[in-house]
Amino acid sequence: MSQIPDLNIDRLAKLARLSLTADEKARYSAQLGDILSYIETLKEVDITGVEPTAHAFPLYNVWREDLPQPGLPVEKALMNAPAQRDNMISVPTVVE
Amino acid sequence: MAAPLHYQTIAELSARLQSGEITSVQLVQAVLERTRAVEERVHAFNSRDETDVLAQAAASDARRAAGKALGPLDGIPIGLKDVIAVDGQPLTASSKILANFVSPYDATVTTKLKAAGALCWGRLNLDEFAMGSSTENSANGPSRNPWDLERVPGGSSGGSAAALAAGEAIATLGSDTGGSIRQPAALCNLVGLKPTYGLVSRYGLIAYASSLDQIGPFTRTVEDAALVLQAIAGYDECDSTSFKVEIPDYRAELSKRKGPWRLGIAKEYFGEGLDPEVAKAVQAAIDHYRGIGCEIVEVSLPHTKYAIGAYYIIATAECSSNLARFDGIRYGHRSSATRDAVDIYSQSRAEGFGDEVKRRIILGTYVLSSGYYDAYYLRAQKVRTLIRNDFLKAYETVDALLTPTSPTPAFRIGEKAADPLSMYLSDIYTIGVNLAGLPGVSIPCGFTQAGLPIGLQIIGKPFEEAEMLAIARSYEQAHDWTTRLPQL
């Protein structure tokens, strides 16, 4: 197992908003070390002057008329909410 | 002797439905009976709604009786991978985080299937959020390969492949981000089609890696693939990456295009790691094409060896962003062990996501994080350009490429589970196609001595599905692999 020295798993977990157990942190660090050392092979490639590809085909913004259309009814939009009250999603207190 | 109803093709069944020899309700009952008999062993489905599919079948029969049949898919039960939204049905992505989610609307492909009269049947198992190559990453446990129940059906659309191979549906839909339709099709003796990026709308498909994902069909024959593609292809204003291209009559084109073709063989696809029995079967398929007068041209795709590295940067970066929406607030699992808002996100995600999903989110977060973006993500996107250019250069001299679909036949359940990297490497022949946005199809091309299916991949030019399918059909018609059925 190889380790990437600057892979700070606690910082990544925080950035990803994902709580990890001690066991997960140890395992993922080792496995991601392996994967990242494999990915290091990309550094061999000469990318001088190469444009990045975000999508396989060029995409252009498409404009349409701003016309009112029926949207998802409130009851359907809320049908999967973990908690709701008065047609709103309810969450624990954020600001005291 | 005709195969039992549940193992017939769309083309055969639509003729029987049209002549009145059978009804859609009878067909669905045959499929339900078969499913009840084998599903416990195969585990292709996350959930099934028998009442709903029978009601759809009755509606199809009523339409036909009134002289208003909608076309070749009318009355045909088609299974859907559980990442494609069907209004009122569960949508779980085989993840605990969506265990209780019900779709509030139809995906565009669902709307299109319904408009063609097809019956949406069941929610098919997958690797959680389509991340995997075996279905072992499903929160509901793995699906099994009908050709050998101790082996994986491939993935991530393994449930879609297993259901069709087991006779539990007449066709199915999957999604393909790095090979997730073609690889399971190869491992289960099926036709699996990944369309050109932008040909089929992704609206209503749970996003994994948006710049790579495409929906496509699993079918028993190339002709059936053409029929399903016909129904689901086309521009959709709800998908900003959908392309406005003319959609040909795919089935009619199959018989019009007879070759001979110039077919490319990329030496990079026949190197180390390729199972000798797979190599032999694919070589025999190449010989078939040479024998019917095709010119076989050796081409080079020199950046192939960088495809998996580029893929796992791009795909995990996109997944870490796409899966940020699962935060326990608006839908999905919300943890009860929380103190504040940030805690809801972190804890709900910790409880809801499985191992591979967490691993990919962390990797994606890493490659996008400040200070590493240029070194990983931007570099991967530039390598992606080079991979794409390799294909486009090859297409200056050839009409399509022939490759193995998967380097090995189906592996045993558990064999690769502890080593994510070895699992990633099993996608080596399929991933480049997604990075370049090309269409690819896997078709059956033989069996190993142990009786495991082998797939041939044909990679076509962008939006040239008709040509690619005609090339596939020419091989299929000269062989009987598709008529072989697993012993279940």
Side-chain angles (χ1 to χ4, degrees), chain B residues 254-472:
Chain B
L254 284 181
S255 42
K256 281 188 204 157
R257 298 169 187 248
K258 296 185 190 303
W261 297 280
R262 285 166 68 94
L263 301 173
I265 310 297
K267 58 179 186 291
E268 292 84 0
Y269 280 62
F270 292 86
E272 196 188 341
L274 178 59
D275 179 279
E277 287 189 279
V278 174
K280 197 175 153 198
V282 171
Q283 190 55 53
I286 294 167
D287 292 341
H288 160 84
Y289 283 107
R290 191 181 279 114
I292 61 165
C294 293
E295 189 184 343
I296 305 296
V297 183
E298 185 164 306
V299 297
S300 180
L301 303 170
H303 295 93
T304 297
K305 66 173 168 173
Y306 304 112
I308 287 187
Y311 174 86
Y312 277 96
I313 293 172
I314 292 168
T316 58
E318 292 185 16
C319 105
S320 73
S321 169
N322 271 326
L323 270 60
R325 73 192 65 186
F326 299 100
D327 56 9
I329 301 296
R330 293 153 299 160
Y331 47 78
H333 170 72
R334 181 186 290 183
S335 173
S336 50
T338 55
R339 296 180 304 276
D340 56 35
V342 173
D343 226 29
I344 291 187
Y345 310 148
S346 301
Q347 208 50 43
S348 301
R349 290 158 67 77
E351 292 167 13
F353 290 140
D355 212 38
E356 182 63 26
V357 173
K358 289 178 184 176
R359 191 156 38 234
R360 293 197 194 190
I361 288 174
I362 293 291
L363 179 58
T365 304
Y366 177 76
V367 301
L368 288 178
S369 60
S370 169
Y372 299 100
Y373 180 90
D374 285 4
Y376 290 106
Y377 188 64
L378 190 62
R379 176 170 282 267
Q381 286 196 314
K382 290 181 176 179
V383 172
R384 181 175 185 181
T385 305
L386 296 171
I387 290 167
R388 180 158 192 273
N389 290 347
D390 284 353
F391 281 105
L392 297 183
K393 184 157 184 291
Y395 286 139
E396 289 172 9
T397 49
V398 298
D399 300 309
L401 297 160
L402 303 177
T403 83
T405 306
S406 165
T408 66
F411 45 91
R412 287 184 190 283
I413 292 173
E415 193 177 317
K416 300 188 181 188
D419 183 358
L421 185 57
S422 89
M423 186 78 88
Y424 295 177
L425 295 174
S426 69
D427 294 331
I428 188 152
Y429 301 139
T430 46
I431 265 176
V433 169
N434 298 78
L435 289 169
L438 302 169
V441 64
S442 181
I443 59 170
C445 79
F447 289 84
T448 65
Q449 287 199 336
L452 297 173
I454 300 171
L456 169 73
Q457 178 175 234
I458 303 168
I459 307 172
K461 293 181 178 176
F463 300 107
E464 293 286 347
E465 276 78 3
E467 191 79 357
M468 179 180 79
L469 290 174
I471 295 168

Side-chain angles (χ1 to χ4, degrees), chain B residues 98-317:
Chain B
L98 287 175
N100 300 312
F101 189 89
V102 173
S103 296
Y105 60 87
D106 278 334
T108 296
V109 292
T110 306
T111 306
K112 282 174 169 274
L113 283 182
K114 287 178 176 175
L119 321 178
C120 296
W121 160 229
R123 313 298 308 152
L124 293 162
N125 194 21
L126 64 144
D127 288 292
E128 183 178 0
F129 284 102
M131 298 178 194
S133 310
S134 69
T135 71
E136 290 167 291
N137 297 332
S138 166
N140 303 319
S143 298
R144 290 168 181 273
N145 191 317
W147 292 90
D148 179 345
L149 295 171
E150 299 305 308
R151 292 178 188 267
V152 303
S156 67
S157 312
S160 300
L164 184 58
E168 301 175 276
I170 304 304
T172 57
L173 291 189
S175 63
D176 189 317
T177 306
S180 285
I181 293 173
R182 290 159 290 154
Q183 182 254 19
L187 271 40
C188 293
N189 198 45
L190 302 167
V191 175
L193 168 64
K194 182 255 178 232
T196 308
Y197 185 80
L199 183 66
V200 176
S201 168
R202 295 181 296 107
Y203 180 73
L205 169 70
I206 294 181
Y208 158 25
S210 307
S211 80
L212 304 164
D213 298 339
Q214 263 297 280
I215 297 170
F218 287 87
T219 54
R220 302 206 162 98
T221 62
V222 173
E223 181 182 23
D224 279 7
L227 291 172
V228 179
L229 182 63
Q230 196 75 51
I232 63 174
Y235 176 74
D236 177 15
E237 64 178 19
C238 294
D239 174 358
S240 63
T241 59
S242 172
F243 258 70
K244 274 183 183 155
V245 288
E246 200 177 322
I247 307 298
D249 181 336
Y250 291 110
R251 177 157 67 171
E253 292 295 320
L254 284 181
S255 42
K256 281 188 204 157
R257 298 169 187 248
K258 296 185 190 303
W261 297 280
R262 285 166 68 94
L263 301 173
I265 310 297
K267 58 179 186 291
E268 292 84 0
Y269 280 62
F270 292 86
E272 196 188 341
L274 178 59
D275 179 279
E277 287 189 279
V278 174
K280 197 175 153 198
V282 171
Q283 190 55 53
I286 294 167
D287 292 341
H288 160 84
Y289 283 107
R290 191 181 279 114
I292 61 165
C294 293
E295 189 184 343
I296 305 296
V297 183
E298 185 164 306
V299 297
S300 180
L301 303 170
H303 295 93
T304 297
K305 66 173 168 173
Y306 304 112
I308 287 187
Y311 174 86
Y312 277 96
I313 293 172
I314 292 168
T316 58

Side-chain angles (χ1 to χ4, degrees), chain A residues 52-88:
Chain A
T53 297
H55 278 90
F57 305 105
L59 289 166
Y60 304 97
N61 200 11
V62 182
W63 298 95
R64 63 164 169 77
E65 291 304 309
D66 188 15
L67 299 171
Q69 303 267 353
L72 215 51
V74 173
E75 57 278 13
K76 279 202 151 184
L78 290 180
M79 67 192 253
N80 288 293
Q84 57 171 295
R85 198 181 63 206
D86 304 331
N87 278 349
M88 291 180 287

